[in-house]
Amino acid sequence: MAKIKIGVFGAYRGMTMIHQILGSSDAELVAVCDKFQPALDHCREVADGEGMTNVAYYTDFEDFFLHDMDAVVLANYAHQHAPYAIRLLDSGRHVMSECLTCATMKEAVELIEAVERSGKIYSYAENYCYTAVRWEMRERYRRGDIGELMYAEGEYVHDCSSIWPKITYGERNHWRNSKWSTYYCTHSIGPILSMTGLRPVKVSGFETQNRPYMWNLGSSAGCAGMEIITLENGAVFKSLHGGIKHNEHQANYQLNGDRGAMKDLGGGKLAVYTEGENENCRGRHEVYEPKPVIEAAATTGHGGGDFFTMHYFLRSILGDETARERAVDVYKAVDMCIPGILAYKSICSDNNSVKVPNLRNKEERDAYRNDTFCTFPDAAGDQYVPNNIHGVEPIPDSVYEEVRRKWIAGEPG
């Protein structure tokens, strides 16, 4: 069988996927697109070093779009994935999207409908679902080891202030400077939904205030966002993410059921407590290090997660039903993403709870078909809202000029 011809849009984050493609027996890298020539030059150097000298390189997406490709990995700016995914799906290409799924509820509806009408594979690269510990939590929860979920926590706390010049380039309108506090939510929400198979039905949003260590780098949004989510079985779920300071491992996940609990301890270790019938408070405690489902994943990024996102995407295209069940499809991806959109609506309305629709149901979509509420001007149109509700002083151009100077000089934030 011929290899799957893959293009990658976004050569910075996309390098992770490029490495996976170059090492795959199922796929070949045929094209890469990025507006930043030095990133393309680095890709060329890596691909040439692996003997892949026929890869095409583009700085313009429209030229890239015309290349002969079976599938495309979207690793471009995080608020622009859905529009490109829709175009590519409608052109007959399979799509793997980096984080995030969509920027508005309108995009969520349109993305789902593009997948449905195209019949192509859409896979969401939420790599935090796939570490050995979190996959073990998924397997044990679905086996019933801790009973029915009552409460969960997902945390992805990542203070990026030291690398802000490197990842925003001093651009006032860079998506990281424009995003709202609860936008980048799927690293905290995604693993819990993946573990449990449950769907969110209601959300309330909360945020910290902006602080000088981020304002002075060009971001006026709240430094961290929180979603308090009700799941379809009535369980309560706290999701926390953003750039606040921390002193432990940055990703934390726990499940509390009616017959036990599990917690990701960090460092590859899992703690499990289980009770049998009539064993209230007299159960068994375990702490151990689960092994990855596929040993080759152990040496890849994000705790092995980067291996599985690409592996399951390629295997899904080839018709592997196990891969299709384990990959994050468009419905699961939207479930992971839209609580962050709706949480900011909650924040803007005094933290009142907001319904999370089930967009699998066609009859629920029309209410959101024209909903462009967000803090990205191009996507929001006349439904634009600022990304700070606390009346933070406008950031002057001099701040962005200084961040750009630091980026060019290679200085930290």
Side-chain angles (χ1 to χ4, degrees):
M1 181 180 293
K3 289 186 175 184
I4 303 164
K5 292 177 286 190
I6 305 284
V8 176
F9 181 32
Y12 182 68
R13 172 65 183 135
M15 273 308 305
T16 296
M17 293 74 177
I18 287 167
H19 282 296
Q20 295 296 115
I21 296 165
L22 293 175
S24 172
S25 60
D26 294 324
E28 62 174 325
L29 181 69
V30 297
V32 183
C33 180
D34 198 290
K35 66 180 182 180
F36 190 51
Q37 187 63 48
L40 287 178
D41 293 341
H42 176 62
C43 287
R44 187 191 301 272
E45 181 181 348
V46 171
D48 287 355
E50 295 291 329
M52 298 295 292
T53 57
N54 293 325
V55 180
Y57 298 91
Y58 299 97
T59 55
D60 184 272
F61 178 81
E62 298 305 324
D63 295 332
F64 171 77
F65 183 82
L66 296 174
H67 197 92
D68 181 18
M69 302 176 287
D70 301 313
V72 174
V73 174
L74 294 176
N76 55 311
Y77 279 177
H79 67 311
Q80 295 177 337
H81 291 159
Y84 288 104
I86 292 164
R87 282 191 64 189
L88 289 161
L89 290 161
D90 284 342
S91 73
R93 277 72 167 257
H94 306 285
V95 171
M96 186 174 89
S97 174
E98 250 292 311
C99 303
L100 267 70
T101 318
C102 53
T104 67
M105 296 299 293
K106 179 178 187 288
E107 288 182 357
V109 171
E110 291 176 347
L111 178 62
I112 286 173
E113 293 181 342
V115 174
E116 290 176 345
R117 67 175 171 263
S118 72
K120 295 299 178 181
I121 295 295
Y122 173 93
S123 185
Y124 183 52
E126 182 37 75
N127 47 21
Y128 275 75
C129 298
Y130 294 109
T131 69
V133 167
R134 287 160 222 155
W135 197 257
E136 179 81 346
M137 293 172 74
R138 180 188 192 270
E139 296 297 284
R140 295 198 64 166
Y141 179 77
R142 295 190 179 206
R143 196 166 66 205
D145 288 6
I146 66 168
E148 183 70 16
L149 185 72
M150 299 174 66
Y151 174 75
E153 291 186 6
E155 295 183 4
Y156 173 72
V157 179
H158 189 184
D159 176 12
C160 291
S161 56
S162 67
I163 61 171
W164 210 251
K166 181 180 178 181
I167 60 178
T168 65
Y169 326 120
E171 296 177 359
R172 176 183 286 276
N173 296 321
H174 192 279
W175 72 269
R176 293 180 186 273
N177 289 327
S178 302
K179 71 178 175 68
W180 60 96
S181 59
T182 57
Y183 177 61
Y184 204 80
C185 64
T186 71
H187 287 340
S188 54
I189 294 176
I192 300 299
L193 300 190
S194 174
M195 292 171 196
T196 64
L198 296 170
R199 192 182 68 78
V201 297
K202 186 170 63 174
V203 62
S204 295
F206 303 86
E207 68 177 11
T208 66
Q209 293 188 21
N210 183 271
R211 302 303 300 163
Y213 71 90
M214 290 307 302
W215 188 94
N216 289 332
L217 291 170
S219 172
S220 61
C223 291
M226 179 187 292
E227 300 84 31
I228 301 297
I229 298 169
T230 302
L231 299 173
E232 61 185 312
N233 73 335
V236 178
F237 166 25
K238 183 194 81 173
S239 159
L240 174 68
H241 52 94
I244 54 176
K245 307 298 179 181
H246 57 91
N247 61 4
E248 296 179 344
H249 66 290
Q250 65 186 30
N252 171 55
Y253 305 92
Q254 71 178 60
L255 303 176
N256 295 78
D258 57 10
R259 291 198 299 106
M262 292 185 281
K263 184 176 178 65
D264 181 346
L265 297 177
K269 293 184 178 181
L270 172 64
V272 183
Y273 170 70
T274 54
E275 294 178 349
E277 190 173 350
N278 299 319
E279 282 190 332
N280 290 339
C281 305
R282 302 189 305 279
R284 286 154 298 285
H285 294 270
E286 306 170 70
V287 175
Y288 64 103
E289 295 186 26
K291 301 297 182 185
V293 175
I294 298 174
E295 195 61 39
T299 59
T300 62
H302 293 93
D306 288 336
F307 172 89
F308 287 106
T309 55
M310 180 58 70
H311 176 75
Y312 289 143
F313 176 52
L314 298 177
R315 295 305 304 170
S316 293
I317 293 172
L318 295 172
D320 184 330
E321 291 301 323
T322 297
R324 291 185 178 188
E325 190 275 329
R326 292 179 175 182
V328 180
D329 67 18
V330 71
Y331 305 108
K332 298 172 190 173
V334 165
D335 282 346
M336 293 175 182
C337 186
I338 62 176
I341 298 171
L342 298 173
Y344 197 62
K345 285 192 175 185
S346 169
I347 289 168
C348 292
S349 63
D350 202 26
N351 312 110
N352 290 315
S353 64
V354 179
K355 174 189 173 183
V356 181
N358 183 358
L359 295 178
R360 295 166 182 78
N361 299 333
K362 294 181 180 180
E363 63 272 17
E364 294 193 45
R365 296 176 189 171
D366 283 348
Y368 302 93
R369 195 171 295 280
N370 298 307
D371 186 339
T372 61
F373 170 97
C374 74
T375 66
F376 302 121
D378 289 347
D382 62 6
Q383 296 179 44
Y384 169 80
V385 291
N387 69 350
N388 188 284
I389 65 168
H390 301 290
V392 170
E393 181 183 351
I395 300 175
D397 290 342
S398 59
V399 167
Y400 299 100
E401 291 166 3
E402 174 62 10
V403 173
R404 183 169 181 79
R405 186 199 65 76
K406 288 183 176 181
W407 170 53
I408 293 170
E411 298 177 8

